[in-house]
Amino acid sequence: MATKVLTLVGSLREGSTNQQLAEASSHNAPEGVEVAVFSGLENIPFYNEDHDVDGGVPAAAQALRDAAGDADALMVVTPEYNGTMPAVLKNAIDWLSRPFGAGALKDMPTVVVGTAFGQYGGVWAQDEARKALNIAGANVLENVKLAIPNSVVRFAELHPKDDAEVVEQVSGVLKSIQEIAEAN
């Protein structure tokens, strides 16, 4: 049985390098790993506890929770906006963290990766995402990292799925999360 990895992409821009990195993950997943890139984060309203009640959860938020419930692991692909992760990712984490202590993220093997224009590849955003995911109850693999710098230049003419180094790195990330997910 394949390990199902739900992938959340923090960039909503079509063709973003982080969207391309998620596509590279999907195209180059190792044997026994299925990568599903979630679409629709932009449709999820900001978390509001008043709406997080039986019969009141917005359909888009419920779709995210259902997708997480069907997954064995989570991969978050984040750009860096003003030194942190985009609000759309933080909002997704908030919805997935509830109900407190029993949300869809509880103990879920999770990795955070990404690419950014800057020289460090968005490590601040990745660190912030790891922090929020840990607090939300995910089992964040702190030692599994992938931060690709200078994305606009590096991927100007080459899609990440066709970049041999990226393919190797993404495959390694997915193998690491597969091992943890299968051990659970």
Side-chain angles (χ1 to χ4, degrees):
M1 184 184 240
T3 300
K4 296 178 184 177
V5 179
L6 175 64
T7 302
L8 305 180
V9 181
S11 177
L12 301 178
R13 185 174 57 83
E14 192 172 316
S16 77
T17 56
N18 282 283
Q19 182 65 39
Q20 291 178 8
L21 184 59
E23 292 166 6
S25 300
S26 181
H27 283 95
N28 296 292
E31 188 173 329
V33 176
E34 293 177 10
V35 175
V37 179
F38 185 84
S39 63
L41 288 183
E42 69 276 9
N43 298 320
I44 301 171
F46 283 112
Y47 184 80
N48 180 336
E49 197 169 2
D50 290 340
H51 300 283
D52 193 5
V53 295
D54 285 340
V57 176
Q62 189 60 54
L64 174 64
R65 285 179 173 171
D66 291 345
D70 290 339
D72 301 305
L74 177 69
M75 181 167 64
V76 171
V77 184
T78 185
E80 188 168 277
Y81 294 170
N82 300 312
T84 192
M85 73 178 123
V88 69
L89 275 181
K90 176 61 170 71
N91 188 49
I93 293 167
D94 291 345
W95 278 104
L96 291 172
S97 71
R98 304 299 176 122
F100 182 75
L105 292 177
K106 183 160 177 46
D107 300 324
M108 181 176 282
T110 302
V111 293
V112 179
V113 301
T115 183
F117 178 69
Q119 66 182 348
Y120 302 112
V123 295
W124 290 349
Q126 291 181 31
D127 288 345
E128 291 294 319
R130 284 185 195 94
K131 175 184 167 187
L133 287 158
N134 268 316
I135 292 169
N139 175 15
V140 179
L141 293 109
E142 297 286 347
N143 61 337
V144 179
K145 298 181 179 183
L146 176 57
I148 303 171
N150 304 313
S151 61
V152 174
V153 174
R154 181 168 184 171
F155 303 125
E157 296 182 21
L158 182 67
H159 192 289
K161 71 178 173 51
D162 300 319
D163 183 312
E165 181 182 13
V166 170
V167 168
E168 182 179 337
Q169 292 170 324
V170 161
S171 181
V173 166
L174 291 170
K175 283 179 186 173
S176 294
I177 202 167
Q178 179 186 29
E179 290 171 5
I180 299 299
E182 288 178 355
N184 285 348

